[in-house]
Structure formats: structure tokens, C-alpha cells
């Protein structure tokens, strides 16, 4: 069955805004953290998305099936009363992950996927994998049972320029891995380069990529616009404009291998505005408004539903959500910050007038 977005174009009354109604979307890459941060940020993701993959880079990381079951329950308990948000868990791979444990968690329906962080590549990645050869048996098993591998695709070699780290990882590690495990399903998480987009196309449909709202809207110059912008700093870092344009054309192409993964990654203001500020952008509250604006700007609104609500679910072997969400081309404003335990998290585009607003949600 093909599901196409419903467009309501009120032709006579020009003051009526454009609105679209699509299946409820999912977010395939979310950092919810834990404790009071989890309680503070979850409502914003749950207000936009029906389901999502929760990243396991807690401290300590979510490596065991039992940890994931407990964390999933804390997420369910932190949901607002009316929320039906469904979290799916990803296993944090280490040099010591066991193939049998991975399979058990997947068969029991606890793990939806496993996440490969090269050791030290990003926030809380120091327990990550030091060499992919060490997880050979895990990858073989995942290939056999059809469990997707989600990859933070950056080399950690300090000699490699930070803006080249994704491209180097893709050529040094990703392509050999895809050649070695020819049936393994892989997601290049938060793709930021034209090279990444090209590899996804070469290996589709078993290879896919998530694309964030910020990588569609900022480039590396934005990080220094008028001064240093710590709240736009994330990993992989935003690249040159030509890469942003490649991401925009991939996202809006309608191709099944590209879908939403916001990489919403909240950090307290003090941890971002610091001598050594940490990586991550809190984009959960303004993600959908940003994505739909990009599709509108690219003349691609008829393909928004595929990117937001169909492609990711199909990749993970799930049906699309039954309900719908309405998006309205009417200015809205979020808030510059949200509060967490008396401290603040700065919201991506929280100080801007957004062009689109979120309307009715039918569950
Ligand atoms: C993420 C975080 O803060 O957990 N940070 C980021 O810059 N994206 C980790 C990650 O996904 O790399
Ligand atoms: Zn992330």
C-alpha cells in the first residue's frame, strides 16, 4: 500500500496556511540520558515522535540485556501521562561483547540494534571498540540473525583532520566491513558527508543513513558565525557547504535508505560553554519543524512522509505508525532553553522564529 501525505491547500483564503498530514514519524537516533535529564527532555521527543532508538552511551554504557531492560523501564516511567512513545534499545558494543549475549537480547526483543562507537570517538565512547577485528564474531552473528549495526563513522586517529574523520572511516573501515559482511544491515548514523551519501547509495537497501536537522541546516562556517558557537558543536562536526547540500538532496530524494535520526543530545549549558565544551546539540524540541522546513525549501513536501515516517520503519522491519501528525506552515517559537534541576539546556533554534508549527496528532 502506498501512503501519500495529505495536502490541504486552501486556494481561496490566502490567509489559510499550508498544512500537511503525514503518518506519525519516528526518530531512529536519540540520546535521552538518565535521571532528571531524562525526565526533562523525554516529553519533547515524545511530543514529536511515536517510536525511536535510544542510544546506549550512558555512563556506564548500556552493554548488557539486563541494563537495557531496566533503562527501558526508566524511560517508560518518565513519559508524560498521555504519551505512547515506544523506546527501542541499542546495545553498546565493546571489545568484549559476546555474540551469544547479543543474539539472546535480539531474540528476546530487547535489542533492536547494536551501536559501534570507535573507542573515544564521541561523548561516552571510551568503552567503545578499539578495533573492529575484535568484534568479528559479533558481526558475523548479527549478519546471520539480521540485526542492524549502527555506526558512529569517524576515525579517532588524532593525526586525521577532524573534518576528514568521517570520510577516512568510511574508506578505511566501513567499505571493508561492508565487503566482508555482505548481508549485514548497517546504518551510517548522522551522516555528514557527500562520501557517506554515496556509500549508502552504493550499498542500498541493506545500508542506510540517518540525517539530523542540524546537519541539514548548518555548515562548518556556522560554528564560527560572529564568534564561537558551542551550541552548534556536535560530532561528527558539521562539514563544508557542499556536504550540507548533498545531505539535503539525499534526505529529500525519497530514497528508502535515508530517514530521520535527530541525534538529539542534550548537555547542560555549563558543559557546552566551557574551556573544553562537549559535543551534542539538543534538537529534540524543534526537530520536526526544522525537517519540514527543509523539505518545503527544497520543494519536496510530497516526499517528507517517506523520510519522516516510512523509510526508517521499513528498514527496521516495522509497520508505519497508525496515527497521523499535522504540520502547519505557521510561524512558531519554542523557548531558548529548557530547565533541568535548576540548570539550563540550550535548545537548537530556540531563539528563532520557526516557519512551521506542529498541529494535531491523531493516535
Ligand atoms: C552525542 C552525545 O552527546 O551523546 N554527541 C554528539 O555530538 N552527537 C554522541 C554522538 O552521537 O556522537
Ligand atoms: Zn548520537
Amino acid at each position: 500500500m502506498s501512503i501519500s501525505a495529505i495536502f490541504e491547500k486552501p486556494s481561496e483564503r490566502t490567509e489559510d496556511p499550508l498544512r500537511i498530514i503525514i503518518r506519525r514519524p519516528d526518530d531512529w537516533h536519540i540520546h535521552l540520558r538518565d535521571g532528571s535529564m531524562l525526565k526533562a527532555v523525554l516529553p519533547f521527543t515524545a511530543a514529536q515522535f511515536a517510536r525511536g532508538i535510544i542510544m546506549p552511551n550512558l555512563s556506564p554504557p548500556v552493554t548488557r540485556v539486563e541494563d537495557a531492560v531496566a533503562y527501558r523501564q526508566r524511560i517508560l516511567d518518565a513519559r508524560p501521562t498521555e504519551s505512547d512513545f515506544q523506546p527501542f534499545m541499542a546495545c553498546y558494543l565493546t571489545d568484549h561483547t559476546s555474540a551469544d549475549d547479543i543474539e539472546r537480547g535480539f531474540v528476546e526483543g530487547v535489542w533492536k540494534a547494536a551501536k559501534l562507537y570507535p573507542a573515544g570517538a564521541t561523548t561516552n565512547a571510551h568503552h567503545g571498540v578499539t578495533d573492529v577485528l575484535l568484534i568479528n564474531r559479533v558481526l558475523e552473528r548479527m549478519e546471520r540473525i539480521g540485526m542492524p549495526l549502527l555506526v558512529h563513522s569517524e576515525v579517532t586517529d588524532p593525526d586525521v583532520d577532524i573534518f576528514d574523520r568521517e570520510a577516512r572511516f568510511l574508506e578505511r573501515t566501513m567499505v571493508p566491513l561492508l565487503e566482508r559482511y555482505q548481508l549485514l544491515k548497517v546504518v551510517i548514523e548522522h551522516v555528514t558527508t557527500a562520501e557517506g551519501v554515496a556509500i549508502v547509495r552504493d550499498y542500498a537497501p541493506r545500508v542506510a543513513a540517518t540525517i539530523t536537522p542540524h546537519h541539514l541546516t548548518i555548515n562548518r562556517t556556522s560554528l564560527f558565525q560572529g564568534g564561537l558557537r558551542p551550541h552548534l558543536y556536535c560530532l561528527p562536526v558539521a562539514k563544508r557547504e557542499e556536504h550540507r547540500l548533498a545531505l539535503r538532496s539525499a534526505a529529500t530524494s525519497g530514497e528508502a535508505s535515508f530517514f530521520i535520526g535527530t541525534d538529539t543530545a542534550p548537555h547542560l549549558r555549563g558543559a557546552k560553554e566551557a574551556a573544553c565544551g562537549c559535543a551534542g546539540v539538543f534538537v529534540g524540541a524543534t526537530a520536526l519543524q526544522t525537517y519540514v522546513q527543509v523539505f518545503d525549501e527544497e520543494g519536496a513536501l510530497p516526499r517528507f512522509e517517506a523520510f519522516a515516517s516510512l523509510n526508517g520503519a521499513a528498514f527496521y522491519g516495522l509497520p508505519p505508525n497508525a496515527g497521523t501528525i499535522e504540520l502547519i506552515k505557521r510561524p512558531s517559537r519554542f523557548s531558548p532553553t529548557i530547565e533541568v534541576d535548576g540548570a539550563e539546556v540550550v535548545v537548537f533554534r530556540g531563539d528563532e522564529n520557526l516557519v512551521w508549527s506542529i498541529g494535531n496528532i491523531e493516535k
Side-chain angles (χ1 to χ4, degrees), residues 167-200:
R168 287 299 90 74
F169 182 93
L170 294 171
E171 71 197 23
R172 284 184 196 173
T173 306
M174 181 61 78
V175 168
L177 185 142
L178 293 174
E179 292 297 331
R180 181 164 184 168
Y181 308 97
Q182 301 221 345
L183 298 175
L184 184 64
K185 295 182 79 167
V186 174
V187 183
I188 300 176
E189 294 294 333
H190 38 51
V191 66
T192 63
T193 56
E195 290 87 340
V197 167
I199 288 175
V200 170

Side-chain angles (χ1 to χ4, degrees), residues 29 31 55 190 263:
H29 186 128
H31 300 271
M55 289 295 138
H190 38 51
D263 193 24

Side-chain angles (χ1 to χ4, degrees), residues 29 31 33 55 57 115 117 121-124 152 154 190 214 233-236 263-267 278-281:
H29 186 128
H31 300 271
R33 316 301 191 204
M55 289 295 138
N57 62 333
K115 179 73 189 275
Y117 291 103
T122 187
T123 308
N124 284 339
H152 184 108
E154 286 192 287
H190 38 51
H214 36 300
Y233 172 57
C234 67
L235 288 171
D263 193 24
T264 183
H267 293 277
C278 50
V281 177

Side-chain angles (χ1 to χ4, degrees), residues 18-20 22 24-25 43-49 283-292 304 324-334 354-362:
L18 175 64
R19 55 186 77 221
I20 67 172
I22 60 168
R24 287 177 75 200
F44 301 108
T45 286
Q48 306 213 338
F49 299 102
V283 68
T286 54
L288 223 41
Q289 301 91 319
T290 304
Y291 282 126
V292 70
F304 186 52
T324 59
I325 189 169
E326 174 189 40
L327 298 159
I328 308 168
K329 193 171 184 181
R330 177 196 291 149
S332 66
R333 224 181 150 88
F334 192 74
L354 303 172
V355 180
W356 283 76
S357 314
I358 294 180
N360 280 331
I361 297 175
E362 304 266 352

Side-chain angles (χ1 to χ4, degrees), residues 27-33 37 40-49 190 210-218 231-235 260-267 272 279-292 294 334-338 345-352 354 358:
D27 181 353
W28 301 104
H29 186 128
I30 311 169
H31 300 271
L32 287 179
R33 316 301 191 204
M37 182 69 95
V41 299
L42 174 58
F44 301 108
T45 286
Q48 306 213 338
F49 299 102
H190 38 51
T210 51
I211 307 183
T212 77
H214 36 300
H215 290 115
L216 291 169
T217 47
I218 64 165
H231 298 287
L232 298 182
Y233 172 57
C234 67
L235 288 171
I260 285 183
T262 65
D263 193 24
T264 183
H267 293 277
K272 300 278 299 167
V281 177
F282 176 56
V283 68
T286 54
L288 223 41
Q289 301 91 319
T290 304
Y291 282 126
V292 70
V294 168
F334 192 74
S335 127
T337 58
I338 61 160
V345 172
V346 172
V347 176
F348 179 68
R349 303 186 71 206
D351 55 356
E352 278 180 46
L354 303 172
I358 294 180

